[in-house]
Amino acid sequence: MSKQIHLAAHFPGVNNTTVWADPQAGSQIEFGSFRHLAETAERGTFDFFFLAEGLRLREVKGMIHDLDVVGRPESLTVLSALAAVTTHLGLAATVNSTFNEPYELAKRLSTLDHVSGGRAAWNVVTSWDAFTGENFRRGGYLDKADRYVRAQESLRIVRKLWDSWTEDQLVLDQAAGAFAREGAGAFADEGAHFDIRGRFGLPPSPQGRPVIIQAGDSEQGREFAASDADVIFSRHGTFQAGQTFYKDVKSRLPKYGRSEESLKIMPAVTVVVADTDDEAIEKAAYIREQQVSGPTALVLAELLWGRDLSAYDPDGPLPAEDPVVGSSVTQGRVGYNDPFPIVAEWRAQAEAHGWSLRQTVINQQNRQTFIGSPTTVAEAINHHVQADAADGFVLVPHLTPSGLDEFVDRVVPLLRDRGAFRDEYAGTTLRDHLGLQA
Amino acid sequence: MIVGLEIDGAGGDPAAWRGSEVDPRAILTGELAVRAVQRAEAAGIDFATFVDALEAPDDVPDRVSVRLDALGLAARVAPLTQRIGLLPTITVTHTEPFHVQASVATLDHISGGRGGWVADVSSSAEAAAVIGRREPASAAETWREARYVVDVSRRLWDSWEDDAIIRDASTGRYVDRDKLHYVAFESPTFSVKGPSIVPRSPQGHPITAVRVNTPEALEAAGDADLVLLPESEDLPTRLAPLVVVSVVVRPHVDGVEQLVELIAEWAAAGADGVHLRPGSLELDVPVIADELIPRLRERGLVGAADRGGSLRGRLGLGRPANRYVGSGR
């Protein structure tokens, strides 16, 4: 039997890959949009539905960035509502471990697992910067070096709370009047960041523990995923980089006593499907142009150059100045540690092809991962999975909420034909879908 | 009269979960709450509150010693109902104010304008211990802070003007940044820069309710849209836009006539409504829905069941103007 593919749906949001100006683009906020994409994913028997998080609106040169989608509802609340209108689909929330307390996280995530019948997942992310911290009591005090310490400790405590009941402590004996055994859920923990004790007021949820997802490419991030995560959400969508990453992360598992199957590697990818390969290539080029307007091209270049480029014409040549290291023209997103080789590469490519600044940005960034006819895309996805470049993918559509309709209607049946993807859900929990032990 | 219903486990009676009509597992799946709120909605009840506290319920033998997070439960109920208001209890002493306001605004978005919250505090030693960050504070201190949290929540709900999302393809701008506002709020114990991450919700400001259970809460209730007042209190002269009297009821045991009279008396005394706390969701809510509400309707004490629109509209409260409109940045 072929290795089975895992698929997840990412709700399109705050980035310039979401094409909000398309006539087909719907609301980014209304519940109907979330419901549509979740129902599409469930029709396609996807493993889970994924929501990102934002805790501060991004800024460019001290002003709120106004070119991309801005604003979104709070993840766990949206997912609890989606639990009511879906039956099998996993529900994954990105929630920051810096600006939430482990006890609150354990309670909210366990509730989602209970009310969804075992479909909850937590994508553990960390934030340390003072910019985001300005919205929180905790402020920005956390050292960058400390972020994984706190994240790891948060996760350890959250798990401890989920494990604080033994199975036999929930009695539910109506005749005898025994709901639970006294003392069930008692916990205490003392670490570098937390010193807590009390009782956890929720019995083990249907999955025992909600699924843990982790994103991150750094050495610390890979180690954190290898020791603690059920799914790692990576950026390595290309075949070569995917295989290298896959090998690296899976090789870290044995030292934590874990098997290769216990951690699923699912890169975030974009897909463009059309009737033929040629049409798909044309469509992909059109989408990239929609994703990178002139003003957006300037902002993306400013991010790389680290300086104000507003005097430049995006349809003209690349800026002549050298990049500035460590400047922060933008707030709330990751910058470049070493921009020089990238700028050199952009210049070389622009000269070779006669590209304008905007054309260079379009061609050097925002490349879609899988482009082609349904058959081409299905084969590429299957090849990546069978050859261990990934265990599956998190699909990031460029349109809300219809962006996965075509994939589910045209590509999923071909994956099923190849015996590499489920026809129907075999189990009811997200752990069942991912083939993970409870 | 406005009528509200309280959702708490299997009901307010500690033994309610033991009845043969109750599947105790349905407390944990949320099914019991869904069924009760749907029945209440069909009868024309205006809102449901969901009990919660930061700490676990008391670990007492025979009692339901577990509780779902009220916000998650209310969100689970939202797509399965159409007209009833949903007000989970949210405690603010340890939870980040920025998260609180975002969650309540989200509930308003996903319910199509039926969202609100019962703002509460955590002054117990148990609540402080499960967080482990602050010493337990007095009721006076926690309520003083809660008033700041209510205030900053409303500012953050206004931090997006209603028409901030412009989707202007000609200039490439998704939002008009002049219609997004930094709240730059400072209180003695926290500060928030803003703007919110959530666009302004259908009601502008979701409904803020306060349950009066201490003298300190009574003071804070002055800031609320809706006050849940214990039966033992005298009706204060104009405390908040709406004051409803919170009554423990067991109509499946006591019958409905007495209750109809009691409610009529509260109406005559000037209460804006009642908040019914049923002993058993499975036994009392059907009696409330099938007998009590129709009797109140006959007497002209409650309105039609199928009034639609937002919770604010249902309660007769206007949609608040945005404080930042026209202020520039």
Side-chain angles (χ1 to χ4, degrees):
Chain A
M1 197 170 114
S2 298
K3 184 178 163 192
Q4 293 297 295
I5 297 168
H6 296 283
L7 293 174
H10 189 305
F11 188 84
V14 179
N15 53 56
N16 72 291
T17 57
T18 304
V19 179
W20 51 260
D22 191 282
Q24 283 186 61
S27 171
Q28 292 287 135
I29 298 297
E30 283 169 23
F31 184 63
S33 290
F34 293 88
R35 184 173 182 158
H36 179 114
L37 195 76
E39 285 175 345
T40 305
E42 189 161 76
R43 181 157 54 80
T45 59
F46 279 35
D47 293 45
F48 61 91
F49 177 86
F50 182 91
L51 287 177
E53 181 188 51
L55 298 174
R56 177 88 192 256
L57 304 188
R58 296 174 302 162
E59 291 180 2
V60 175
K61 290 176 280 185
M63 288 182 293
I64 290 166
H65 184 52
D66 58 359
L67 302 176
D68 300 344
V69 169
V70 179
R72 49 183 142 200
E74 186 267 316
S75 300
L76 279 167
T77 306
V78 172
L79 295 176
S80 297
L82 287 174
V85 296
T86 53
T87 58
H88 287 76
L89 187 66
L91 303 165
T94 303
V95 190
N96 204 288
S97 64
T98 307
F99 302 112
N100 289 281
E101 301 300 323
Y103 176 85
E104 289 179 304
L105 282 171
K107 184 180 172 193
R108 295 197 70 196
L109 287 157
S110 177
T111 294
L112 179 61
D113 209 44
H114 277 289
V115 303
S116 66
R119 300 187 278 137
W122 174 24
N123 177 35
V124 185
V125 293
T126 63
S127 181
W128 69 94
D129 61 278
F131 178 71
T132 308
E134 279 189 293
N135 280 335
F136 297 94
R137 293 178 197 270
R138 276 198 177 275
Y141 78 93
L142 199 60
D143 284 344
K144 188 172 175 176
D146 246 8
R147 66 187 173 132
Y148 277 111
V149 176
R150 183 177 158 106
Q152 222 145 9
E153 201 171 305
S154 289
L155 181 55
R156 183 175 58 72
I157 294 173
V158 167
R159 283 190 165 156
K160 191 177 213 175
L161 297 179
W162 289 338
D163 292 345
S164 62
W165 289 61
T166 55
E167 282 296 337
D168 61 346
Q169 285 177 323
L170 185 67
V171 182
L172 301 182
D173 185 339
Q174 289 173 297
F179 192 91
R181 282 195 216 288
E182 249 183 292
F187 67 86
D189 197 280
E190 207 179 322
H193 289 267
F194 306 101
D195 178 6
I196 65 173
R197 63 205 69 249
R199 196 176 80 79
F200 188 58
L202 281 163
S205 64
Q207 293 190 100
R209 295 167 169 178
V211 165
I212 299 299
I213 304 174
Q214 206 266 321
D217 277 348
S218 67
E219 179 63 24
Q220 273 180 311
R222 290 179 191 208
E223 211 56 38
F224 182 33
S227 61
D228 289 307
D230 299 307
V231 175
I232 182 162
F233 178 47
S234 87
R235 288 183 189 172
H236 301 287
T238 65
F239 189 78
Q240 282 300 332
Q243 275 190 329
T244 307
F245 181 78
Y246 193 97
K247 210 176 217 174
D248 175 75
V249 173
K250 296 260 177 172
S251 74
R252 295 171 192 246
L253 292 165
K255 74 176 153 195
Y256 298 104
R258 303 182 64 192
S259 70
E260 288 224 343
E261 292 70 43
S262 66
L263 176 65
K264 301 296 185 234
I265 297 179
M266 298 177 69
V269 294
T270 52
V271 177
V272 181
V273 188
D275 289 344
T276 65
D277 287 352
D278 285 347
E279 279 176 51
I281 290 165
E282 205 174 302
K283 185 172 163 186
Y286 169 78
I287 292 168
R288 286 206 295 275
E289 214 163 286
Q290 302 301 301
Q291 289 167 328
V292 186
S293 64
T296 292
L298 279 180
V299 169
L300 292 175
E302 283 173 339
L303 190 61
L304 176 58
W305 261 267
R307 37 166 102 232
D308 178 7
L309 301 177
S310 52
Y312 281 86
D313 175 4
D315 296 318
L318 268 58
E321 294 109 311
D322 283 336
V324 179
V325 181
S327 104
S328 57
V329 290
T330 66
Q331 294 271 31
R333 53 176 153 187
V334 182
Y336 295 85
N337 290 327
D338 183 9
F340 290 93
I342 305 170
V343 166
E345 169 68 13
W346 283 27
R347 288 199 171 120
Q349 292 292 329
E351 193 170 339
H353 299 279
W355 287 336
S356 67
L357 174 58
R358 181 175 171 217
Q359 285 170 320
T360 308
V361 175
I362 288 171
N363 283 290
Q364 293 297 105
Q365 296 196 317
N366 289 78
R367 280 213 176 273
Q368 295 94 340
T369 321
F370 296 112
I371 303 170
S373 68
T375 306
T376 301
V377 169
E379 278 172 3
I381 286 178
N382 197 26
H383 175 58
H384 274 71
V385 172
Q386 302 310 328
D388 287 346
D391 292 311
F393 296 98
V394 178
L395 305 184
V396 188
H398 70 277
L399 280 180
T400 307
S402 60
L404 285 181
D405 293 3
E406 204 166 9
F407 182 88
V408 165
D409 293 336
R410 304 183 70 182
V411 181
V412 165
L414 301 178
L415 297 174
R416 288 172 175 159
D417 288 347
R418 283 159 178 73
F421 191 59
R422 63 177 77 85
D423 287 306
E424 53 186 41
Y425 290 104
T428 56
T429 69
L430 176 54
R431 282 187 182 277
D432 292 338
H433 310 335
L434 290 167
L436 302 170
Q437 302 288 320
Chain B
M1 295 282 270
I2 294 159
V3 183
L5 180 77
E6 177 162 275
I7 303 295
D8 181 12
D13 286 343
W17 73 274
R18 296 183 60 181
S20 58
E21 69 291 339
V22 175
D23 171 4
R25 280 173 217 286
I27 297 170
L28 283 162
T29 60
E31 292 306 319
L32 213 60
V34 168
R35 196 154 53 234
V37 179
Q38 286 179 328
R39 275 178 178 144
E41 174 174 85
I45 286 178
D46 298 292
F47 67 89
T49 59
F50 299 81
V51 171
D52 205 355
L54 185 66
E55 65 273 30
D58 288 342
D59 185 20
V60 176
D62 302 352
R63 303 283 178 87
V64 176
S65 57
V66 304
R67 193 192 290 118
L68 294 170
D69 178 66
L71 176 67
L73 183 58
R76 168 78 165 73
V77 171
L80 304 175
T81 52
Q82 287 80 42
R83 297 188 301 269
I84 194 166
L86 303 169
L87 288 84
T89 299
I90 302 179
T91 57
V92 301
T93 306
H94 300 282
T95 306
E96 291 285 355
F98 192 81
H99 292 321
V100 169
Q101 63 81 27
S103 306
V104 176
T106 298
L107 182 63
D108 202 38
H109 278 289
I110 64 174
S111 65
R114 297 183 286 127
W117 60 314
V118 181
D120 205 352
V121 299
S122 304
S123 39
S124 74
E126 288 82 2
V130 298
I131 297 298
R133 203 171 83 227
R134 302 167 71 186
E135 291 304 309
S138 68
E141 257 177 78
T142 53
W143 275 110
R144 188 156 50 237
E145 187 185 49
R147 297 179 73 169
Y148 284 116
V149 176
V150 168
D151 185 6
V152 77
S153 294
R154 289 180 172 144
R155 290 169 191 268
L156 287 161
W157 292 335
D158 282 345
S159 67
W160 288 62
E161 295 186 27
D162 287 317
D163 52 357
I165 296 174
I166 51 171
R167 291 177 178 249
D168 182 7
S170 67
T171 58
R173 292 180 308 146
Y174 180 83
V175 285
D176 179 351
R177 61 164 72 110
D178 292 340
K179 293 182 174 181
L180 297 174
H181 304 277
Y182 295 100
V183 302
F185 184 84
E186 304 248 357
S187 86
T189 53
F190 67 89
S191 62
V192 177
K193 176 81 173 176
S196 178
I197 204 77
V198 186
R200 201 161 191 253
S201 72
Q203 295 186 93
H205 295 180
I207 295 294
T208 298
V210 168
R211 176 195 302 271
V212 173
N213 43 18
T214 59
E216 293 83 3
L218 183 65
E219 210 170 297
D223 298 340
D225 300 303
L226 175 66
V227 174
L228 312 175
L229 195 70
E231 223 184 328
S232 55
E233 291 280 328
D234 289 332
L235 272 185
T237 54
R238 276 312 67 167
L239 183 62
L242 296 175
V243 177
V244 305
V245 179
S246 203
V247 189
V248 174
V249 297
R250 296 188 312 158
H252 87 278
V253 177
D254 303 330
V256 297
E257 279 315 309
Q258 233 184 308
L259 196 47
V260 171
E261 292 312 318
L262 179 72
I263 292 170
E265 279 170 33
W266 280 116
D272 300 300
V274 285
H275 176 230
L276 304 172
R277 296 155 61 197
S280 161
L281 294 183
E282 288 286 80
L283 296 177
D284 290 313
V285 175
V287 181
I288 290 168
D290 301 341
E291 298 175 41
L292 175 65
I293 301 292
R295 288 281 293 114
L296 294 173
R297 192 166 289 128
E298 271 168 39
R299 302 216 7 195
L301 286 167
V302 302
D306 60 353
R307 283 169 295 143
S310 69
L311 177 57
R312 278 193 172 271
R314 207 173 163 111
L315 298 179
L317 301 174
R319 192 171 187 276
N322 189 320
R323 78 193 67 204
Y324 296 111
V325 166
S327 71
R329 293 175 71 228

